[in-house]
Amino acid sequence: MTATAELDPYLLQMPSANTPVVLSEFVVPDHAHLNAHYTADIWPLAPLDANPGKRKDQIHWQNCPALFESELRLAAWTMINGRLRPTFLRDRGTRIRSRIATSTLKDTVTHWMALAAWLEPRGILTLADCDAAVLHEYGLHLLARGRSRTRQRQRLGSLTRLWAFDQLSACPSGIGQPPWDGLGIDDYLPRATSTGGENDREPLDEKTMGPLLVWAIRMVDDLADDILTAWGETQRLLHGARTNLPTTSGMASLHAFLDPLIASQAPLPTFFHRGRTSLARSYIRGMTGASRGQLAEFVTRNGLVSLARQRPGPCPLDVPVKGLIGGAPWKESLDFGETAGLMRQLGTACFIVIAYLTGMRPGEVLGLRSGCCPDPEPDADGNVGRHLIRSHEYKTATDEHGNYLSTGTERDVPWVAIAPVVNAIRVLERFVDAGQLLFSHEAHDLQGRKGTGALKPSGLRERIEDFITWANAEAATHELTGEVIPADPHGKVGTARFRRSLAWHIARRPGGLVALAIQYGHLRTAITSEGYASRSRDGIHELIDVETVRAVADTVSELHDDLEAGAGISGPAAQRAIRAAATAPRFEGTVITPTTARRLIANEDAMIFDNPQAFVLCHYKRAQALCHRDGVKDTPSLDHCVAGCGNIVRTDRHAVQLRDRAEILDTRAAAVPQPLGDRFRANADKLRAFADAHDRTKTTLLEASA
């Protein structure tokens, strides 16, 4: 180490050709074998990152303009292994961190290469000639390209980081200070027009999410035992096929198994792979105890290769089929050749259930380990609480100095797990050993491909599409036309839309189609009211608040338009609702962020909630709400709407819907036994009474203004 570096711990010594890309103090043991040397063409960044569900980022130096490669290579190595001075960070508040995540490292170096590619055709061939004036011109060039505000800020921040780490390098290039670092960044950013991030993702359509969740939960609750049992039997047969020794009993069993099939010209056990039908040799050896050589001799002597292609047949497993779909066994038998595929679908179903019904980000789901959700112990009174999930977070994990922490940190508060989530975790715990990742690559990639950590989001996106295809084929087989999963209008399901979709459905559909699988009122209570899975910065409750306010904005706007068109309105809160609807424009053009959502929810005069299942609007006042029996809350429990509540509002539209619903109940009453029919007719009469009361008592905007 140089004398300068010894005196200043923030300065690094000059790397040699054999210096590791990641110095030993920063290497994650699981990925240490992936480390490269300084002069390598590709720099793997995995040795820096312990996040099991993250892709393994790399820096490819062939993408760098050759004239700038040596300067940028040294700056990148310094950034990977160094840290910014506390004095530098202090002057910039929270705008920059001493060390950053691997994905940000890769993007940062990519942005440096883009700068170099812009400089070269302008005759600037070294970073020393890239001064503040040149960087000002480049900042305006990036602004003119029309990128989002967030993307532009990231690119400019990358160039600030290049200047900062260049000063800590053993051989500084002398690049100038970016003007936005000292004078402010706003002149280089487009106007803020949206909230960005999760709030800009489209939620999954309920017609897609409903049956998708139904099939995922069915897979976990009804079919998992059959699949896991069949997989265990498949593994037993494969082990025997690999280890069987040639014995007289094995040969006798082979003859007893195959001779009757050959003599009767019955189908032979086969599998289809890469476009060809082949004899299922592993299955036959596992079933009979014959050795590899014994079967090979038998196949040759009897010409079974050609016979198998002519007479392909199944490879049934000797395991019971207990699962039901639509009240009937879902299969006659499970086949040796399909168990790996079914295990893949089962793992995918578990991911869908956990990701959607907790609100976790994909990376947090993929980081879960066996034992993360223990059964709760009863308290002193014998009451058993909810299941809680202890998980790690990686996206925002930082150490005590605010630097990115690749090993992640345990969440301050756990996630709450309702029954389907607990069931999915229990199924996954049968995939892996204690303490292992529930979605470990080793347990879920059954084709034996090499990999470390957990499955990656990119692979899961493909698996989810495959699961939809499989579920729709099963729906067709079992004639369940109402449970086909339609394509989502906004594209593929992916992995990152579940979180936004959960918030959307809780806010807008407390008793809607998706409630075929889950009661959303219960789920909202579990997630928000008890404080689980909520943090000041990015808990799922913030997304629910945003979606709630968006739903309210739509409701108020629709009521405003109806009243302006002369529609009638009734109910104890009718006058309040008319005043609230008159201020509907307050929502127009408003960017709904978590902060504005909290502020609007606190304004009781502005908040009108739609409850299409109860055929009412709710102009919510906490003090007089009958839906809450355990204290006041900021929003109503729309799944517990109580007739006679002082917050109720009805419109002409609701009166029509009440009468339509009454007709449906009368029709059903005629087709069921009398006791049930009497209940249907009584409910129909009650709905008509509500509609009649609306007609008698309704007022219009004109009448209310008189």
Side-chain angles (χ1 to χ4, degrees):
M1 182 176 290
T2 64
T4 303
E6 289 177 351
L7 294 173
D8 188 343
Y10 292 94
L11 296 179
L12 300 184
Q13 62 181 333
M14 190 71 182
S16 68
N18 293 324
T19 299
V21 170
V22 181
L23 296 179
S24 58
E25 62 188 286
F26 300 115
V27 170
V28 173
D30 288 347
H31 298 152
H33 63 288
L34 299 175
N35 210 355
H37 290 109
Y38 183 78
T39 55
D41 291 333
I42 298 175
W43 284 9
L45 298 178
L48 278 168
D49 204 331
N51 187 342
K54 192 174 182 181
R55 73 178 187 272
K56 295 177 176 60
D57 292 309
Q58 297 175 328
I59 297 173
H60 293 260
W61 287 109
Q62 69 267 27
N63 297 329
C64 182
L67 288 172
F68 293 89
E69 182 179 338
S70 62
E71 292 179 312
L72 293 183
R73 191 182 281 261
L74 179 58
W77 184 86
T78 305
M79 179 172 62
I80 289 171
N81 297 289
R83 63 189 190 277
L84 296 174
R85 300 180 191 278
T87 51
F88 181 90
L89 300 175
R90 184 186 61 226
D91 294 341
R92 286 155 183 81
T94 60
R95 286 183 293 154
I96 195 166
R97 290 177 178 172
S98 178
R99 292 181 59 80
I100 52 178
T102 56
S103 58
T104 309
L105 280 171
K106 177 191 174 183
D107 292 342
T108 297
V109 176
T110 300
H111 297 158
W112 296 354
M113 293 179 183
L115 169 66
W118 182 83
L119 292 173
E120 189 171 6
R122 287 164 176 77
I124 301 173
L125 308 180
T126 175
L127 293 179
D129 293 333
C130 182
D131 57 17
V134 174
L135 288 170
H136 167 75
E137 183 182 352
Y138 185 63
L140 296 180
H141 160 74
L142 293 178
L143 178 62
R145 297 187 67 179
R147 290 188 172 87
S148 70
R149 187 177 178 90
T150 299
R151 294 289 186 187
Q152 178 75 343
R153 186 185 293 275
Q154 289 171 345
R155 285 179 172 269
L156 298 178
S158 296
L159 300 180
T160 300
R161 194 168 289 275
L162 172 59
W163 167 71
F165 275 104
D166 181 61
Q167 298 174 77
L168 301 179
S169 128
C171 183
S173 68
I175 189 172
Q177 179 182 8
W180 50 85
D181 181 69
L183 302 177
I185 200 170
D186 283 346
D187 289 343
Y188 301 91
L189 296 178
R191 184 172 59 89
T193 57
S194 72
T195 58
E198 292 171 310
N199 290 324
D200 282 347
R201 287 195 178 100
E202 290 292 340
L204 293 164
D205 189 273
E206 61 179 332
K207 294 178 181 177
T208 300
M209 191 63 237
L212 175 59
L213 186 58
V214 166
W215 277 105
I217 291 177
R218 174 180 286 145
M219 194 77 164
V220 171
D221 290 353
D222 301 333
L223 310 183
D225 283 343
D226 287 354
I227 294 169
L228 289 165
T229 301
W231 178 245
E233 176 65 5
T234 298
Q235 294 303 103
R236 187 189 71 80
L237 295 177
L238 287 172
H239 178 75
R242 290 191 297 267
T243 60
N244 289 343
L245 298 175
T247 62
T248 303
S249 61
M251 194 66 190
S253 180
L254 182 62
H255 277 281
F257 185 75
L258 289 177
D259 285 348
L261 300 179
I262 296 171
S264 63
Q265 297 188 343
L268 296 171
T270 57
F271 69 98
F272 189 75
H273 182 60
R274 293 183 178 177
R276 296 186 62 184
T277 298
S278 303
L279 189 70
R281 297 178 185 238
S282 294
Y283 171 76
I284 294 170
R285 294 201 303 271
M287 291 290 289
T288 63
S291 69
R292 187 184 299 272
Q294 287 175 325
L295 179 58
E297 180 185 351
F298 188 96
V299 168
T300 302
R301 186 170 63 250
N302 291 278
L304 293 190
V305 172
S306 60
L307 286 179
R309 293 172 184 167
Q310 298 167 23
R311 292 157 30 198
C315 302
L317 295 171
D318 186 19
V319 295
V321 175
K322 299 178 180 178
L324 303 176
I325 293 181
W330 70 297
K331 286 181 178 293
E332 292 183 6
S333 64
L334 288 160
D335 194 89
F336 176 83
E338 70 178 341
T339 55
L342 289 173
M343 285 288 286
R344 187 174 189 265
Q345 307 297 1
L346 179 57
T348 305
C350 290
F351 177 85
I352 292 169
V353 170
I354 296 172
Y356 182 62
L357 294 179
T358 63
M360 290 185 187
R361 292 185 173 88
E364 289 174 310
V365 177
L366 295 175
L368 295 178
R369 293 182 178 272
S370 177
C372 66
C373 183
D375 291 330
E377 297 290 337
D379 61 19
D381 298 325
N383 299 316
V384 179
R386 296 188 183 278
H387 283 83
L388 303 178
I389 302 173
R390 300 288 177 179
S391 65
H392 277 66
E393 56 187 351
Y394 294 91
K395 181 178 179 180
T396 56
T398 56
D399 61 18
E400 65 273 18
H401 304 296
N403 298 322
Y404 177 72
L405 195 62
S406 70
T407 54
T409 57
E410 185 173 313
R411 290 182 62 90
D412 294 334
V413 289
W415 297 93
V416 66
I418 60 176
V421 174
V422 177
N423 294 342
I425 290 174
R426 295 293 178 263
V427 166
L428 290 170
E429 287 175 335
R430 296 167 67 180
F431 276 62
V432 300
D433 295 331
Q436 286 190 335
L437 292 165
L438 293 178
F439 290 96
S440 74
H441 184 281
E442 182 181 2
H444 288 265
D445 192 335
L446 304 177
Q447 296 182 359
R449 291 173 292 193
K450 293 182 179 180
T452 59
L455 296 174
K456 303 301 181 281
S458 57
L460 271 166
R461 287 193 286 271
E462 180 182 339
R463 286 172 180 245
I464 290 171
E465 295 304 313
D466 290 345
F467 179 80
I468 292 172
T469 300
W470 173 86
N472 285 341
E474 290 294 315
T477 298
H478 294 276
E479 299 181 350
L480 299 173
T481 56
E483 295 185 14
V484 171
I485 306 169
D488 184 84
H490 298 286
K492 294 183 177 180
V493 171
T495 60
R497 294 171 66 190
F498 288 122
R499 191 171 146 88
R500 167 87 193 279
S501 302
L502 173 65
W504 191 94
H505 284 118
I506 286 176
R508 296 176 182 254
R509 295 291 185 268
L513 178 61
V514 183
L516 288 169
I518 293 298
Q519 295 180 0
Y520 274 93
H522 170 72
L523 186 56
R524 178 168 191 150
T525 298
I527 289 177
T528 59
S529 299
E530 297 180 20
Y532 300 120
S534 61
R535 296 178 301 167
S536 59
R537 287 177 295 167
D538 60 356
I540 183 66
H541 71 294
E542 291 189 340
L543 279 177
I544 294 174
D545 286 347
V546 169
E547 289 304 326
T548 297
V549 170
R550 284 176 168 170
V552 165
D554 292 343
T555 299
V556 172
S557 177
E558 184 175 312
L559 179 60
H560 174 82
D561 293 343
D562 285 348
L563 289 171
E564 289 288 338
I569 184 172
S570 69
Q575 293 298 323
R576 288 195 281 118
I578 289 174
R579 291 193 296 272
T583 62
R586 82 175 70 198
F587 292 103
E588 294 178 3
T590 300
V591 177
I592 306 299
T593 66
T595 300
T596 58
R598 286 192 297 270
R599 185 171 64 248
L600 286 167
I601 286 175
N603 181 3
E604 293 184 339
D605 292 334
M607 303 302 286
I608 301 179
F609 299 84
D610 185 21
N611 191 347
Q613 282 69 47
F615 308 110
V616 298
L617 300 178
C618 173
H619 193 184
Y620 186 65
K621 291 283 187 181
R622 287 174 289 180
Q624 60 197 50
L626 299 183
C627 57
H628 296 310
R629 297 182 177 88
D630 56 349
V632 296
K633 296 180 175 64
D634 290 333
T635 56
S637 291
L638 297 178
D639 56 327
H640 291 114
C641 196
V642 179
C645 178
N647 293 329
I648 282 179
V649 178
R650 280 201 173 91
T651 66
D652 290 342
R653 192 192 311 271
H654 291 129
V656 172
Q657 293 169 346
L658 285 164
R659 292 189 172 99
D660 289 344
R661 179 63 178 170
E663 290 295 329
I664 293 172
L665 291 176
D666 281 340
T667 301
R668 290 181 180 176
V672 298
Q674 181 175 351
L676 183 57
D678 289 342
R679 287 199 294 273
F680 282 166
R681 281 184 282 270
N683 285 334
D685 291 342
K686 183 166 63 174
L687 296 181
R688 289 191 184 93
F690 288 150
D692 293 342
H694 167 78
D695 291 341
R696 291 194 307 271
T697 62
K698 69 180 180 180
T699 186
T700 65
L701 181 60
L702 183 61
E703 292 169 344
S705 303

